Amino acid sequence: MAKVSPAGARALAHLGATDLRLLGQIHGRQFFRLTARGSACFASGEADAAGATPTDVYCPHGNFPSASLPVYDDPAVEIQKSEPGVARVLSLDGFAADGVERVELVRQGDVVASAAVIGNVFSLDVAGIDIARMQLVARDQAGNIVFSRGYPALSS
């Protein structure tokens, strides 16, 4: 069991979580697999001296990981009043199935950010980028695209 902060312990208890297992740590964020109410779930959160605080929890109920959904991405975005139609990414973290080696953020064929998948987790360095009309692309070891999804533009 991973070391969990008091706030993280309260959140996990609220979920009825058990079997918390640390999958990895990237850029001060920790990534976990856990069981909540009988389902496999995934969580990420900030890590500090008090322990992990899993905050972003995803319970796919059997849909992830699968051939049709080998990547779960969790973009944190910010929309400012001064730019109502622009969603800027604060962070883009996620989980990937076995066989996914690299995740890229692509705009009009150009790779904007890229990260290796390590221990089934990834974190793209994308702070401040407008996510509209971007594609998240997952590649296998041979470089083949195994998954892709787009982020739509916001309407202002």
Side-chain angles (χ1 to χ4, degrees), residues 112-126:
V112 175
S114 177
V117 175
I118 301 168
N120 297 99
V121 299
F122 64 89
S123 181
L124 289 166
D125 185 14
V126 291

Side-chain angles (χ1 to χ4, degrees), residues 51-76:
T53 305
T55 52
D56 301 325
V57 179
Y58 172 60
C59 297
H61 304 291
N63 299 327
F64 173 83
S66 65
S68 62
L69 187 61
V71 173
Y72 168 71
D73 59 308
D74 187 21

Side-chain angles (χ1 to χ4, degrees), residues 31-82:
F31 298 83
F32 304 90
R33 186 176 194 283
L34 58 107
T35 302
R37 299 184 181 112
S39 292
C41 298
F42 301 87
S44 62
E46 298 299 319
D48 61 27
T53 305
T55 52
D56 301 325
V57 179
Y58 172 60
C59 297
H61 304 291
N63 299 327
F64 173 83
S66 65
S68 62
L69 187 61
V71 173
Y72 168 71
D73 59 308
D74 187 21
V77 298
E78 172 183 67
I79 302 170
Q80 296 182 354
K81 288 181 182 180
S82 61

